[in-house]
Amino acid sequence: MKNKYFKNMLIPGIFAVAAVVIPAILIQINVIDAYTAQIITLSGINAIMALSVNIICGFTGQLSLGQAGFMAIGAYSTIILTSNLGIPLPISIIASGFITALFGIIIGFPTLKLEGDYLAIVTLGFGEIIRVVFFNLKKLTGGPNGIQFPTILTLNSTVAYISIIGTLVLLVILVQNFIRSTYGRAILAVREDEIAANSSGIPVFKYKMIGFVLASFVAGIGGALYAPFIGFIKPEQASFTKSIDYLIYVVLGGMGSTTGSILAAFILTYLQEFLRFLQNFRLLIYPVILIIVMLFRPQGLLGLKEFSFVNFVHNCPTYPSRIKAWFMKVFKKESD
Protein backbone atom coordinates (compact mmCIF):
# COMPACT_ATOMS: atom_id res chain seq x y z
CA MET A 1 0.00 0.00 0.00
CA LYS A 2 2.84 2.39 0.89
CA ASN A 3 4.69 1.56 -2.34
CA LYS A 4 1.56 2.28 -4.38
CA TYR A 5 1.05 5.60 -2.60
CA PHE A 6 4.71 6.49 -3.08
CA LYS A 7 4.51 5.62 -6.80
CA ASN A 8 1.34 7.70 -7.25
CA MET A 9 3.16 10.68 -5.74
CA LEU A 10 6.58 10.15 -7.34
CA ILE A 11 5.58 9.70 -11.00
CA PRO A 12 3.45 12.90 -11.31
CA GLY A 13 6.12 14.75 -9.32
CA ILE A 14 8.84 13.76 -11.80
CA PHE A 15 6.72 14.86 -14.77
CA ALA A 16 5.83 18.15 -13.02
CA VAL A 17 9.47 18.99 -12.30
CA ALA A 18 10.45 18.01 -15.85
CA ALA A 19 7.71 20.25 -17.32
CA VAL A 20 9.20 23.23 -15.46
CA VAL A 21 12.93 22.51 -15.54
CA ILE A 22 13.58 21.11 -19.05
CA PRO A 23 11.92 23.94 -21.06
CA ALA A 24 13.53 26.49 -18.70
CA ILE A 25 16.97 25.08 -19.55
CA LEU A 26 16.14 25.13 -23.27
CA ILE A 27 15.06 28.79 -22.95
CA GLN A 28 18.24 29.67 -21.05
CA ILE A 29 20.53 28.16 -23.71
CA ASN A 30 18.42 29.75 -26.52
CA VAL A 31 17.19 26.48 -28.01
CA ILE A 32 13.73 27.96 -27.42
CA ASP A 33 13.81 31.58 -28.58
CA ALA A 34 12.41 34.46 -26.53
CA TYR A 35 9.29 34.85 -28.71
CA THR A 36 8.29 31.17 -28.36
CA ALA A 37 9.08 31.30 -24.64
CA GLN A 38 6.75 34.28 -24.28
CA ILE A 39 3.92 32.45 -26.05
CA ILE A 40 4.38 29.37 -23.85
CA THR A 41 4.45 31.50 -20.71
CA LEU A 42 1.36 33.46 -21.77
CA SER A 43 -0.33 30.12 -22.41
CA GLY A 44 0.46 29.25 -18.80
CA ILE A 45 -1.40 32.36 -17.58
CA ASN A 46 -4.37 31.52 -19.82
CA ALA A 47 -4.27 27.95 -18.47
CA ILE A 48 -4.48 29.31 -14.92
CA MET A 49 -7.54 31.32 -15.93
CA ALA A 50 -9.02 28.25 -17.63
CA LEU A 51 -8.44 26.34 -14.40
CA SER A 52 -10.31 29.08 -12.52
CA VAL A 53 -13.30 28.95 -14.88
CA ASN A 54 -13.29 25.16 -14.78
CA ILE A 55 -13.60 25.19 -10.98
CA ILE A 56 -16.76 27.31 -11.00
CA CYS A 57 -18.31 26.08 -14.27
CA GLY A 58 -17.00 22.53 -14.60
CA PHE A 59 -16.79 21.34 -10.99
CA THR A 60 -19.34 23.54 -9.19
CA GLY A 61 -21.76 23.63 -12.13
CA GLN A 62 -22.39 27.39 -12.01
CA LEU A 63 -22.11 29.64 -15.07
CA SER A 64 -19.92 32.64 -14.25
CA LEU A 65 -19.03 35.36 -16.76
CA GLY A 66 -16.97 37.55 -14.44
CA GLN A 67 -13.64 35.74 -14.09
CA ALA A 68 -11.85 38.46 -16.07
CA GLY A 69 -12.97 40.91 -13.37
CA PHE A 70 -11.32 38.79 -10.69
CA MET A 71 -8.18 38.58 -12.82
CA ALA A 72 -8.09 42.38 -13.08
CA ILE A 73 -8.44 42.70 -9.30
CA GLY A 74 -5.46 40.38 -8.84
CA ALA A 75 -3.39 42.30 -11.40
CA TYR A 76 -4.06 45.76 -9.96
CA SER A 77 -3.64 44.48 -6.39
CA THR A 78 -0.16 43.22 -7.24
CA ILE A 79 0.85 46.57 -8.74
CA ILE A 80 -0.51 48.56 -5.79
CA LEU A 81 1.06 46.28 -3.16
CA THR A 82 4.44 46.21 -4.89
CA SER A 83 4.77 49.75 -6.28
CA ASN A 84 2.89 51.79 -3.66
CA LEU A 85 3.49 49.76 -0.49
CA GLY A 86 6.91 48.29 -1.32
CA ILE A 87 5.90 44.69 -0.65
CA PRO A 88 8.14 42.07 -2.39
CA LEU A 89 6.61 40.70 -5.59
CA PRO A 90 6.22 37.02 -4.49
CA ILE A 91 4.35 38.09 -1.35
CA SER A 92 2.25 40.55 -3.37
CA ILE A 93 1.21 37.78 -5.77
CA ILE A 94 0.02 35.52 -2.95
CA ALA A 95 -1.66 38.43 -1.14
CA SER A 96 -3.43 39.43 -4.36
CA GLY A 97 -4.90 35.94 -4.58
CA PHE A 98 -6.39 36.28 -1.09
CA ILE A 99 -7.62 39.82 -1.80
CA THR A 100 -9.42 38.49 -4.89
CA ALA A 101 -10.84 35.62 -2.83
CA LEU A 102 -12.24 38.21 -0.42
CA PHE A 103 -14.02 39.89 -3.32
CA GLY A 104 -15.22 36.42 -4.30
CA ILE A 105 -16.89 36.10 -0.88
CA ILE A 106 -18.46 39.55 -1.18
CA ILE A 107 -19.80 38.88 -4.68
CA GLY A 108 -20.65 35.21 -4.17
CA PHE A 109 -22.74 35.59 -1.02
CA PRO A 110 -25.68 37.38 -2.71
CA THR A 111 -25.26 36.01 -6.25
CA LEU A 112 -24.92 32.27 -5.57
CA LYS A 113 -28.50 32.21 -4.32
CA LEU A 114 -29.40 32.72 -7.98
CA GLU A 115 -29.23 30.00 -10.62
CA GLY A 116 -28.60 29.56 -14.33
CA ASP A 117 -28.92 32.66 -16.51
CA TYR A 118 -29.46 34.97 -13.53
CA LEU A 119 -26.10 34.07 -12.01
CA ALA A 120 -24.39 34.57 -15.38
CA ILE A 121 -26.00 38.02 -15.78
CA VAL A 122 -25.00 39.14 -12.28
CA THR A 123 -21.38 38.00 -12.65
CA LEU A 124 -21.28 39.69 -16.07
CA GLY A 125 -22.47 42.89 -14.40
CA PHE A 126 -19.78 42.49 -11.72
CA GLY A 127 -17.06 42.32 -14.36
CA GLU A 128 -18.34 45.48 -16.02
CA ILE A 129 -18.53 47.28 -12.65
CA ILE A 130 -14.89 46.37 -11.96
CA ARG A 131 -13.88 47.66 -15.39
CA VAL A 132 -15.69 50.98 -14.87
CA VAL A 133 -14.24 51.41 -11.36
CA PHE A 134 -10.68 50.86 -12.60
CA PHE A 135 -11.44 53.14 -15.54
CA ASN A 136 -12.31 56.05 -13.22
CA LEU A 137 -9.72 55.59 -10.46
CA LYS A 138 -7.12 57.45 -12.50
CA LYS A 139 -4.70 58.25 -9.66
CA LEU A 140 -4.55 54.64 -8.50
CA THR A 141 -5.01 52.64 -11.71
CA GLY A 142 -3.96 55.05 -14.45
CA GLY A 143 -7.50 55.28 -15.77
CA PRO A 144 -8.21 54.26 -19.37
CA ASN A 145 -4.52 54.48 -20.29
CA GLY A 146 -3.61 51.75 -17.81
CA ILE A 147 -0.45 51.51 -15.77
CA GLN A 148 3.01 50.15 -16.48
CA PHE A 149 4.64 47.62 -14.18
CA PRO A 150 8.10 46.53 -15.42
CA THR A 151 9.70 43.74 -13.38
CA ILE A 152 12.24 40.99 -13.82
CA LEU A 153 9.49 38.81 -15.33
CA THR A 154 9.27 41.19 -18.29
CA LEU A 155 13.04 41.12 -18.81
CA ASN A 156 14.04 37.52 -18.14
CA SER A 157 12.21 34.82 -20.13
CA THR A 158 13.58 31.97 -18.02
CA VAL A 159 12.49 33.47 -14.71
CA ALA A 160 9.07 34.30 -16.17
CA TYR A 161 8.61 30.74 -17.44
CA ILE A 162 9.66 29.11 -14.16
CA SER A 163 7.47 31.47 -12.11
CA ILE A 164 4.30 31.12 -14.18
CA ILE A 165 4.47 27.46 -15.25
CA GLY A 166 5.66 26.49 -11.77
CA THR A 167 2.64 28.30 -10.29
CA LEU A 168 0.36 26.55 -12.79
CA VAL A 169 1.72 23.16 -11.71
CA LEU A 170 1.21 24.00 -8.02
CA LEU A 171 -2.35 25.20 -8.65
CA VAL A 172 -3.18 22.03 -10.61
CA ILE A 173 -1.90 19.93 -7.70
CA LEU A 174 -3.93 22.06 -5.26
CA VAL A 175 -7.14 21.81 -7.30
CA GLN A 176 -6.82 18.09 -8.05
CA ASN A 177 -6.23 17.25 -4.39
CA PHE A 178 -9.12 19.50 -3.40
CA ILE A 179 -11.50 17.80 -5.84
CA ARG A 180 -10.53 14.38 -4.46
CA SER A 181 -11.16 15.56 -0.89
CA THR A 182 -14.45 15.42 1.02
CA TYR A 183 -15.18 19.02 0.10
CA GLY A 184 -14.51 18.33 -3.58
CA ARG A 185 -16.78 15.29 -3.63
CA ALA A 186 -19.55 17.37 -2.05
CA ILE A 187 -19.10 20.07 -4.72
CA LEU A 188 -19.34 17.43 -7.47
CA ALA A 189 -22.50 16.09 -5.84
CA VAL A 190 -23.99 19.60 -5.91
CA ARG A 191 -23.07 19.89 -9.58
CA GLU A 192 -24.78 16.63 -10.49
CA ASP A 193 -28.04 17.23 -8.61
CA GLU A 194 -28.63 20.02 -6.08
CA ILE A 195 -31.91 18.53 -4.82
CA ALA A 196 -30.39 15.10 -4.21
CA ALA A 197 -27.33 16.66 -2.56
CA ASN A 198 -29.50 18.78 -0.28
CA SER A 199 -31.65 15.81 0.67
CA SER A 200 -28.46 13.91 1.55
CA GLY A 201 -27.49 16.56 4.08
CA ILE A 202 -25.02 18.50 1.94
CA PRO A 203 -25.35 22.29 2.47
CA VAL A 204 -25.58 23.35 -1.18
CA PHE A 205 -24.97 27.08 -0.70
CA LYS A 206 -21.89 26.47 1.46
CA TYR A 207 -20.18 24.31 -1.14
CA LYS A 208 -21.13 26.64 -3.97
CA MET A 209 -19.41 29.40 -2.01
CA ILE A 210 -16.31 27.29 -1.46
CA GLY A 211 -16.03 26.56 -5.17
CA PHE A 212 -16.67 30.20 -6.11
CA VAL A 213 -14.08 31.55 -3.67
CA LEU A 214 -11.46 29.00 -4.77
CA ALA A 215 -12.08 29.96 -8.41
CA SER A 216 -11.72 33.64 -7.46
CA PHE A 217 -8.42 32.92 -5.70
CA VAL A 218 -7.01 31.11 -8.74
CA ALA A 219 -8.16 33.94 -11.05
CA GLY A 220 -6.49 36.45 -8.73
CA ILE A 221 -3.22 34.53 -8.93
CA GLY A 222 -3.55 34.51 -12.72
CA GLY A 223 -3.97 38.29 -12.76
CA ALA A 224 -1.17 38.75 -10.24
CA LEU A 225 1.18 36.91 -12.62
CA TYR A 226 -0.16 38.64 -15.74
CA ALA A 227 0.76 42.16 -14.57
CA PRO A 228 4.48 41.56 -13.91
CA PHE A 229 4.82 39.34 -17.00
CA ILE A 230 3.22 41.71 -19.55
CA GLY A 231 4.43 44.80 -17.67
CA PHE A 232 1.22 46.69 -18.42
CA ILE A 233 -2.40 46.46 -17.32
CA LYS A 234 -5.50 48.44 -18.25
CA PRO A 235 -9.21 48.27 -17.28
CA GLU A 236 -10.13 46.46 -20.51
CA GLN A 237 -8.58 43.35 -18.94
CA ALA A 238 -11.85 43.02 -16.98
CA SER A 239 -14.03 43.19 -20.09
CA PHE A 240 -16.76 40.71 -20.99
CA THR A 241 -14.86 39.46 -24.06
CA LYS A 242 -11.93 38.35 -21.89
CA SER A 243 -14.26 36.29 -19.69
CA ILE A 244 -15.71 34.66 -22.81
CA ASP A 245 -12.20 33.80 -24.04
CA TYR A 246 -11.47 31.97 -20.79
CA LEU A 247 -14.84 30.22 -20.92
CA ILE A 248 -14.08 29.01 -24.46
CA TYR A 249 -10.95 27.25 -23.19
CA VAL A 250 -13.06 25.23 -20.76
CA VAL A 251 -15.85 24.48 -23.24
CA LEU A 252 -13.35 23.31 -25.83
CA GLY A 253 -11.29 21.25 -23.38
CA GLY A 254 -14.27 19.77 -21.57
CA MET A 255 -16.33 21.04 -18.64
CA GLY A 256 -14.94 19.35 -15.55
CA SER A 257 -11.65 18.25 -17.13
CA THR A 258 -8.57 20.02 -15.76
CA THR A 259 -6.36 18.36 -18.37
CA GLY A 260 -8.70 19.36 -21.21
CA SER A 261 -9.00 22.99 -20.08
CA ILE A 262 -5.23 23.44 -19.79
CA LEU A 263 -4.62 21.69 -23.11
CA ALA A 264 -7.19 23.90 -24.86
CA ALA A 265 -5.65 27.05 -23.33
CA PHE A 266 -2.21 26.16 -24.70
CA ILE A 267 -3.54 25.17 -28.13
CA LEU A 268 -5.72 28.25 -28.65
CA THR A 269 -3.10 30.69 -27.35
CA TYR A 270 -0.48 29.29 -29.69
CA LEU A 271 -2.96 29.09 -32.57
CA GLN A 272 -3.86 32.76 -32.18
CA GLU A 273 -0.18 33.73 -32.41
CA PHE A 274 0.48 31.33 -35.29
CA LEU A 275 -2.36 32.91 -37.30
CA ARG A 276 -1.30 36.49 -36.58
CA PHE A 277 -0.59 36.99 -40.29
CA LEU A 278 -4.38 36.96 -40.80
CA GLN A 279 -4.55 40.15 -38.71
CA ASN A 280 -8.06 40.76 -37.31
CA PHE A 281 -9.51 37.80 -39.20
CA ARG A 282 -7.78 35.48 -36.71
CA LEU A 283 -10.36 36.60 -34.14
CA LEU A 284 -12.87 34.49 -36.06
CA ILE A 285 -10.97 31.33 -35.16
CA TYR A 286 -12.44 31.04 -31.63
CA PRO A 287 -16.09 31.20 -32.74
CA VAL A 288 -15.52 28.80 -35.63
CA ILE A 289 -13.74 26.27 -33.40
CA LEU A 290 -16.48 26.62 -30.78
CA ILE A 291 -19.22 25.99 -33.35
CA ILE A 292 -17.42 22.91 -34.69
CA VAL A 293 -16.93 21.51 -31.17
CA MET A 294 -20.57 22.13 -30.23
CA LEU A 295 -21.75 20.35 -33.39
CA PHE A 296 -19.48 17.31 -33.38
CA ARG A 297 -18.25 16.95 -29.78
CA PRO A 298 -20.40 18.97 -27.35
CA GLN A 299 -18.67 17.44 -24.31
CA GLY A 300 -15.33 18.99 -25.36
CA LEU A 301 -12.02 17.41 -26.31
CA LEU A 302 -11.71 15.26 -23.18
CA GLY A 303 -15.20 15.50 -21.66
CA LEU A 304 -14.80 14.63 -17.98
CA LYS A 305 -11.64 12.56 -18.52
CA GLU A 306 -8.26 13.36 -16.99
CA PHE A 307 -4.81 12.37 -18.22
CA SER A 308 -3.00 10.20 -15.67
CA PHE A 309 0.80 10.06 -15.68
CA VAL A 310 0.66 7.04 -13.39
CA ASN A 311 -1.49 5.06 -15.83
CA PHE A 312 0.64 6.28 -18.74
CA VAL A 313 3.84 4.94 -17.17
CA HIS A 314 2.10 1.75 -16.03
CA ASN A 315 0.76 1.04 -19.55
CA CYS A 316 3.97 1.97 -21.41
CA PRO A 317 5.12 -1.67 -21.84
CA THR A 318 1.80 -2.52 -23.55
CA TYR A 319 1.92 0.29 -26.12
CA PRO A 320 4.18 -1.50 -28.69
CA SER A 321 1.86 -4.50 -28.79
CA ARG A 322 -1.21 -2.23 -29.06
CA ILE A 323 0.34 -0.31 -31.96
CA LYS A 324 1.33 -3.57 -33.68
CA ALA A 325 -2.21 -4.93 -33.26
CA TRP A 326 -3.65 -1.72 -34.69
CA PHE A 327 -1.41 -1.87 -37.77
CA MET A 328 -2.25 -5.57 -38.27
CA LYS A 329 -5.93 -4.72 -38.10
CA VAL A 330 -5.56 -1.88 -40.64
CA PHE A 331 -3.49 -3.93 -43.10
CA LYS A 332 -5.88 -6.85 -42.76
CA LYS A 333 -8.81 -4.60 -43.76
CA GLU A 334 -6.85 -3.27 -46.76
CA SER A 335 -5.95 -6.79 -47.94
CA ASP A 336 -9.56 -7.89 -47.63
Side-chain angles (χ1 to χ4, degrees):
M1 187 67 180
K2 289 184 178 179
N3 290 336
K4 184 178 180 181
Y5 178 78
F6 178 75
K7 186 184 295 185
N8 290 343
M9 292 290 290
L10 180 63
I11 293 174
I14 292 174
F15 278 97
V17 172
V20 176
V21 174
I22 294 176
I25 294 173
L26 296 178
I27 293 170
Q28 185 65 30
I29 62 177
N30 293 323
V31 173
I32 298 177
D33 60 86
Y35 176 68
T36 305
Q38 187 177 35
I39 295 174
I40 297 172
T41 309
L42 181 61
S43 301
I45 294 176
N46 288 336
I48 291 174
M49 291 306 302
L51 183 65
S52 168
V53 176
N54 193 44
I55 293 171
I56 185 65
C57 296
F59 295 140
T60 313
Q62 308 299 309
L63 180 57
S64 173
L65 298 177
Q67 294 307 106
F70 290 118
M71 182 184 185
I73 291 173
Y76 278 107
S77 297
T78 302
I79 296 174
I80 293 170
L81 292 174
T82 305
S83 300
N84 297 0
L85 301 180
I87 298 175
L89 183 59
I91 298 176
S92 296
I93 291 172
I94 297 172
S96 297
F98 285 105
I99 291 171
T100 311
L102 178 61
F103 276 91
I105 295 173
I106 296 171
I107 299 301
F109 189 79
T111 59
L112 288 177
K113 296 179 181 179
L114 305 172
E115 295 180 359
D117 298 337
Y118 298 104
L119 176 62
I121 292 169
V122 171
T123 52
L124 171 61
F126 159 72
E128 288 302 304
I129 290 171
I130 292 298
R131 186 181 66 82
V132 172
V133 169
F134 287 149
F135 190 89
N136 289 281
L137 291 177
K138 296 181 180 180
K139 292 183 178 180
L140 195 63
T141 66
N145 296 323
I147 185 171
Q148 290 186 347
F149 186 55
T151 67
I152 191 174
L153 296 187
T154 60
L155 302 174
N156 193 312
S157 299
T158 307
V159 175
Y161 176 85
I162 293 174
S163 302
I164 292 171
I165 301 301
T167 303
L168 172 62
V169 169
L170 291 176
L171 289 175
V172 169
I173 294 172
L174 169 68
V175 170
Q176 287 300 100
N177 280 280
F178 174 79
I179 291 301
R180 293 188 179 100
S181 69
T182 305
Y183 290 95
R185 298 299 181 187
I187 287 175
L188 294 179
V190 171
R191 178 192 69 183
E192 295 301 325
D193 194 324
E194 290 187 18
I195 297 175
N198 191 42
S199 63
S200 300
I202 297 175
V204 173
F205 178 75
K206 171 186 173 182
Y207 285 103
K208 281 185 180 180
M209 276 292 296
I210 291 173
F212 193 81
V213 172
L214 179 60
S216 304
F217 173 80
V218 174
I221 295 294
L225 290 168
Y226 179 86
F229 172 64
I230 300 298
F232 178 79
I233 185 73
K234 59 181 181 178
E236 292 304 317
Q237 193 60 41
S239 65
F240 165 68
T241 55
K242 286 290 183 181
S243 294
I244 294 299
D245 286 345
Y246 303 138
L247 181 62
I248 288 174
Y249 299 149
V250 177
V251 173
L252 178 62
M255 287 277 191
S257 173
T258 301
T259 308
S261 300
I262 293 173
L263 183 63
F266 274 87
I267 291 174
L268 291 182
T269 304
Y270 184 80
L271 185 63
Q272 193 175 39
E273 292 297 325
F274 180 75
L275 298 175
R276 189 171 285 276
F277 66 91
L278 295 176
Q279 298 180 358
N280 290 335
F281 288 103
R282 65 193 171 94
L283 299 177
L284 297 174
I285 297 298
Y286 281 11
V288 170
I289 291 176
L290 191 60
I291 291 171
I292 293 172
V293 170
M294 289 296 98
L295 289 176
F296 298 102
R297 191 170 174 80
Q299 70 270 33
L301 293 176
L302 296 183
L304 294 174
K305 297 179 181 178
E306 298 285 2
F307 180 81
S308 173
F309 289 109
V310 177
N311 293 337
F312 174 76
V313 172
H314 179 73
N315 293 327
C316 267
T318 67
Y319 289 142
S321 59
R322 290 183 182 182
I323 295 173
K324 182 180 178 181
W326 182 80
F327 274 108
M328 294 291 292
K329 185 177 180 181
V330 171
F331 287 128
K332 184 178 180 181
K333 286 183 178 180
E334 290 181 354
S335 63
D336 292 342

